[in-house]
Amino acid sequence: MPTDRNTPLDRLIGARSGKKFAEQLGIATAGDLLDHFPRRYLTRGELTPIRELPLDEDVTLVAQVVSSSNRRMTSRKGSITEVLVSDRPGQTNGPSTLSLTFFNGYQAAKQLTRGVIAMFSGKVGLYRGKLQLTNPIYELLDPDEFDAEAAARMAGRPIPVYPATASIPSWTIAKAVGTVLGQLDLDSLPEALPPDIRLKYRLPRVADAYRMIHDPEDDGAWRSAQRRFRYEEALVLQTALARRKAQHAALPSRPSPARRGGLLEAFDRQLPFELTAGQQEVGEVLARELAENHPMNRLLQGEVGSGKTVVALRAMLQVVDDGGQAALLAPTEVLAAQHYASIRATLGPLVRDGLLGAGEDGVEVAVLTGSQSAGEKKRSLLAAASGQAGIVVGTHALLSEHVQFADLGLVVVDEQHRFGVEQRDALRAKSLATPHLLVMTATPIPRTVAMTVFGDLETSVLRELPAGRSPIATHTVGLVENPAWERRIWQRAREEVDAGRQVYVVCPTIGEGAGDEGDLDALDRATWGGTSLAAAPAPAPEVQPASVTEVAEQLGGEPELEGVRIGVLHGRLDTDAKATAMRAFAAGETGILVATTVVEVGVDVPNATLMVILDADRFGIAQLHQLRGRVGRGGHAGTCLLVTRLEPGHPSRERLGAVSASTDGFELAQKDLEFRREGDILGASQSGRRSTLRLLRVLRDGDVIASAREDALALVAEDPDLDGHVALADAIDDYLGPEKEVFLERG
Ligand code: ADP
Ligand code: MG
């Protein structure tokens, strides 16, 4: 049988090696290995003989370890590893030897043992009159190939450096790749890129690209190959999204054209404010799409307080005017209750109460949550199933099987990241025709991320905040450099309370009990689009993060706060306690609310003006930005204090600086992206599989993604089933696999 992509690797490199590759690198076939791209190339010019080393220059040399020793440093903590190398076999001292020094070079101490051959790169320095390299980077080389001829060949060509493990070094991988390249007929590999596209961007053919990425003649070769694979990745992804979008758009849905003289018009007449230009614009788009007989599929982004809910409510009323129903899904009970209350309040006289049966020209609003009494639930279920309720607000409870709708025309999902695909589909399944879908998120998503993660949704953005919103002043408070500020914070809280305002104190954890990770629900999922982007680098582990229970207790005994009533809110309270805490704070009965990130999303107490976030370094940028949006909503200026116990200059404090310096959510989202490892955008990094983006980087490759998207949309428009692009269709199946299909379904 000829070798192809699917040939098991052990047939080519032996059972033992094959097993190791499969277990440690997840590489099982020839194709897997071909797709295991070098992570970098050693290209630092010619190899320099040790005896000719120039001082103060960057050099690369190949040498063999003669001896190695390890000693503790006397003046500070740590160790020094000294390695003597020679590039003249047999010479162990003299002009062909060189000393390498590694500070805390644990790995070097382990790997660079006598007889080992490696390529070293670094800057030549002088120590006690002798040349040496300090902390050079190095790659272990195959001892069998250490001869003059191999060194010379390597000198001229870039050397690929593969992602490796301790027992499968880069050169072993390179060797295996060489074997595969030698056996496989590269020219028989299917070409996923359409020829016109390949020509348009001058990308190498697939066979050439594999050769160029694994065994490049020069730097230009691997660069060109990377360009091809990067573009291919973007095209595969975008074509998958475009196809999904097209398929979805072809489904039938219930058209709900705007009606004259209906609830929507009455609602607009009674609105106490003017819609912002953005709200009007988005409103028109939604009105148009709801009128079509194919489903709307739209993501609405807008900062907290930008007025998304009003926009959504108007869309719901258009559907209700047409005799349909709308469902609003909230991520938590607190939020569902709040949406229910605020929708009723906003609708005012337009709410019709089922029981009282007042008037015909109104809409009945029902709420369904897991914690309702059986009787309440039954009433809501009936209202939804009979069609009596035009608007049904709820949590996940809405998704359970026995919830039926008479005629569900629109699903609005608030803060989409808490909802997975199954849930979205469960709601859709409740209707014969596919309901229109509006997803709302307060977390700004950089354009290229949106294109990648939400490529199958159309996006709208509300950029401006309604007039009259006060800006939020944000300050980083470093307790290390200024411990006295702790007292000052509580004085500040006192001043707010005395002025009749209220204060949030946010803690990373709940407290009480080990293994407490705070409100995971909120903490881990404050994200852009379902990918866990909020996770902050872990700070010093010995510092216990502030917990709600302890801080509440501490504040109770704080002299500055004597007489101030303190409430507590976190995810482990039962529903009643949560509701009571929220109600007391909303009513101004408690001056200070100590809470976890449950206050992050949507909670609305306009009288709150100060937010103190303790151990703020535990939170991600997006999350901090959302949190502070809770204050300054009522026309009084808001202040947010980001309190940290990290040293000045600690990398995690950079994020606090960024949040203090900007109130522009989109700018912060971009920053956030720059701070984190980008490969994680598509999730699955924790699985350790090679299922994340390979070469494509969402931030760096924005242009590539944008062009690929354009190409993909055109391609799918012309050939929806990809009948004429079989290799591309196969590449999509291959690339996505079952796991990645999931992210495509997000939103
Ligand atoms: P979001 O859902 O985007 O956080 P909301 O729709 O809840 O924002 O609006 C936040 C607050 O601003 C609400 O009290 C709402 O009534 C008010 N609001 C919305 N649109 C406007 C507007 N155009 N002018 C003034 N206030 C507005
Ligand atoms: Mg909202």
Side-chain angles (χ1 to χ4, degrees):
M1 231 170 84
T3 304
D4 64 18
R5 287 192 67 99
N6 298 320
T7 304
L9 196 58
D10 50 15
R11 283 239 307 266
L12 301 172
I13 63 170
R16 241 184 50 151
S17 298
K19 187 157 172 256
K20 249 179 26 183
F21 272 64
E23 277 169 4
Q24 295 184 26
L25 295 167
I27 295 174
T29 65
D32 289 347
L33 187 58
L34 281 184
D35 287 335
H36 190 70
F37 294 156
R39 67 186 156 84
R40 64 190 175 95
Y41 298 83
L42 290 177
T43 54
R44 260 144 296 198
E46 309 267 298
L47 295 186
T48 315
I50 288 176
R51 57 188 324 147
E52 291 168 21
L53 285 182
L55 187 61
D56 279 339
E57 277 180 34
D58 287 308
V59 297
T60 297
L61 51 97
V62 169
Q64 183 164 33
V65 175
V66 173
S67 65
S68 158
S69 69
N70 225 354
R71 60 186 158 85
R72 314 219 123 261
M73 274 187 263
T74 44
S75 51
R76 36 190 180 122
K77 241 171 71 178
S79 69
I80 295 180
T81 303
E82 210 136 358
V83 178
L84 187 70
V85 299
S86 160
D87 65 354
R88 276 285 184 90
Q91 284 200 14
T92 56
N93 57 37
S96 288
T97 60
L98 175 72
S99 159
L100 316 174
T101 305
F102 296 87
F103 291 98
N104 294 326
Y106 305 110
Q107 195 172 0
K110 243 187 1 209
Q111 294 184 329
L112 298 178
T113 51
R114 194 183 144 83
V116 164
I117 290 162
M119 173 175 287
F120 303 92
S121 303
K123 196 181 182 115
V124 182
L126 205 56
Y127 183 71
R128 295 199 173 146
K130 289 178 76 175
L131 298 183
Q132 71 160 21
L133 300 182
T134 305
N135 290 332
I137 57 169
Y138 63 89
E139 284 300 327
L140 302 185
L141 296 180
D142 183 354
D144 300 341
E145 283 187 13
F146 182 49
D147 51 40
E149 192 263 327
R153 185 172 57 81
M154 286 190 296
R157 297 171 79 106
I159 298 175
V161 178
Y162 290 93
T165 69
S167 66
I168 313 181
S170 177
W171 56 262
T172 306
I173 298 171
K175 245 183 171 171
V177 169
T179 306
V180 170
L181 287 178
Q183 304 237 348
L184 190 79
D185 177 13
L186 286 176
D187 294 312
S188 70
L189 292 177
E191 174 60 82
L193 294 186
D196 51 329
I197 287 182
R198 210 166 51 68
L199 286 176
K200 178 163 88 171
Y201 301 108
R202 297 163 185 250
L203 301 171
R205 295 178 328 127
V206 62
D208 297 332
Y210 274 123
R211 259 181 237 117
M212 288 153 71
I213 207 155
H214 289 296
D215 187 17
E217 297 264 345
D218 50 33
D219 290 349
W222 61 259
R223 291 214 173 93
S224 169
Q226 282 194 346
R227 228 163 39 82
R228 182 222 142 89
F229 287 117
R230 197 172 287 139
Y231 176 84
E232 180 178 343
E233 209 172 333
L235 185 72
V236 165
L237 210 56
Q238 292 300 333
T239 306
L241 291 163
R243 192 175 54 174
R244 222 187 114 76
K245 197 171 142 197
Q247 283 163 351
H248 197 93
L251 296 171
S253 74
R254 174 194 206 292
S256 300
R259 300 243 175 261
R260 311 231 63 176
L263 287 167
L264 178 54
E265 283 186 3
F267 177 77
D268 284 346
R269 270 197 307 276
Q270 70 166 47
L271 257 188
F273 47 72
E274 293 269 307
L275 294 177
T276 63
Q279 284 173 318
Q280 273 171 25
E281 214 170 283
V282 176
E284 278 160 27
V285 172
L286 299 188
R288 209 165 43 235
E289 292 185 347
L290 289 173
E292 282 174 20
N293 49 14
H294 297 295
M296 170 174 89
N297 236 340
R298 193 163 277 281
L299 174 72
L300 176 57
Q301 296 181 55
E303 300 262 337
V304 166
S306 59
K308 297 181 298 293
T309 312
V310 173
V311 170
L313 185 53
R314 294 184 69 250
M316 293 192 249
L317 290 176
Q318 178 170 332
V319 170
V320 171
D321 272 340
D322 193 53
Q325 291 170 292
L328 171 59
L329 241 73
T332 63
E333 299 233 339
V334 171
L335 268 179
Q338 214 170 66
H339 268 309
Y340 174 69
S342 85
I343 282 178
R344 287 177 66 100
T346 313
L347 286 171
L350 299 178
V351 177
R352 185 184 53 185
D353 242 313
L355 286 176
L356 302 174
E360 271 311 298
D361 37 351
V363 54
E364 186 174 329
V365 185
V367 63
L368 190 74
T369 64
S371 61
Q372 282 174 317
S373 73
E376 286 170 324
K377 253 186 217 155
K378 204 167 147 197
R379 262 202 304 281
S380 295
L381 284 171
L382 200 67
S386 65
Q388 205 182 331
I391 296 176
V392 184
V393 181
T395 55
H396 291 76
L398 269 188
L399 306 172
S400 81
E401 273 166 37
H402 52 268
V403 180
Q404 297 298 331
F405 288 86
D407 188 0
L408 183 60
L410 169 65
V411 174
V412 179
V413 178
D414 190 12
E415 303 301 342
Q416 98 300 325
H417 48 268
R418 316 276 165 100
F419 285 100
V421 56
E422 306 83 16
Q423 287 136 339
R424 191 168 106 192
D425 285 349
L427 255 185
R428 280 187 169 151
K430 295 187 182 302
S431 177
L432 282 178
T434 312
H436 298 286
L437 176 73
L438 179 65
V439 176
M440 302 195 286
T441 176
T443 327
I445 304 169
R447 197 176 65 100
T448 52
V449 177
M451 252 181 228
T452 311
V453 181
F454 292 110
D456 61 336
L457 300 181
E458 307 285 347
T459 21
S460 301
V461 181
L462 289 177
R463 282 193 184 274
E464 54 191 325
L465 293 183
R469 241 354 108 60
S470 318
I472 300 159
T474 305
H475 308 282
T476 303
V477 179
L479 294 181
V480 171
E481 61 271 36
N482 212 334
W485 281 354
E486 180 155 17
R487 162 120 313 163
R488 181 68 195 111
I489 293 168
W490 306 129
Q491 280 170 356
R492 195 62 183 73
R494 174 90 219 190
E495 288 160 20
E496 292 299 319
V497 174
D498 284 349
R501 307 277 109 77
Q502 288 166 279
V503 180
Y504 291 107
V505 177
V506 179
C507 307
T509 64
I510 298 173
E512 282 172 347
D516 175 10
E517 290 292 315
D519 274 344
L520 277 186
D521 189 40
L523 243 181
D524 278 2
R525 301 191 201 161
T527 57
W528 300 320
T531 54
S532 193
L533 294 178
E542 65 269 22
V543 181
Q544 279 295 322
S547 75
V548 171
T549 42
E550 276 164 39
V551 169
E553 200 182 308
Q554 180 208 333
L555 295 191
E558 186 68 42
E560 303 290 346
L561 298 175
E562 209 185 315
V564 177
R565 291 196 52 190
I566 294 168
V568 161
L569 180 67
H570 58 72
R572 263 202 255 131
L573 295 176
D574 66 37
T575 314
D576 276 352
K578 263 189 247 174
T580 309
M582 267 321 296
R583 214 178 301 119
F585 192 64
E589 290 160 21
T590 37
I592 296 182
L593 186 65
V594 184
T596 54
T597 51
V598 290
V599 298
E600 177 192 337
V601 189
V603 173
D604 193 3
V605 177
N607 194 44
T609 47
L610 174 65
M611 173 170 284
V612 180
I613 305 179
L614 298 176
D615 290 325
D617 43 86
R618 298 275 176 156
F619 301 104
I621 287 184
Q623 213 172 10
L624 292 171
H625 182 60
Q626 285 209 5
L627 276 167
R628 71 175 160 182
R630 306 287 112 226
V631 292
R633 290 170 74 88
H636 306 291
T639 304
C640 177
L641 302 179
L642 307 176
V643 184
T644 178
R645 291 181 281 173
L646 294 181
E647 309 268 342
H650 189 288
S652 290
R653 275 185 63 159
E654 255 183 81
R655 283 176 290 127
L656 305 188
V659 175
S660 299
S662 172
T663 51
D664 180 335
F666 282 88
E667 189 186 319
L668 287 173
Q670 192 75 22
K671 276 257 164 60
D672 205 356
L673 200 55
E674 287 161 22
F675 277 127
R676 61 180 75 252
R677 287 179 310 141
E678 287 195 64
D680 297 352
I681 300 289
L682 297 188
S685 72
Q686 57 276 44
S687 74
R689 285 175 22 101
R690 297 169 304 121
S691 57
T692 46
L693 294 181
R694 267 193 334 238
L695 286 173
L696 202 60
R697 295 288 171 267
V698 177
L699 192 62
R700 182 194 62 198
D701 299 325
D703 292 347
V704 179
I705 293 171
S707 350
R709 179 169 177 81
E710 239 173 67
D711 296 334
L713 288 172
L715 202 147
V716 169
E718 204 169 282
D719 181 8
D721 299 321
L722 303 180
D723 291 333
H725 298 89
V726 178
L728 180 58
D730 288 346
I732 291 174
D733 294 344
D734 249 28
Y735 183 83
L736 295 177
E739 227 176 88
K740 269 213 217 136
E741 202 74 58
V742 173
F743 93 79
L744 285 185
E745 310 247 356
R746 272 197 187 111

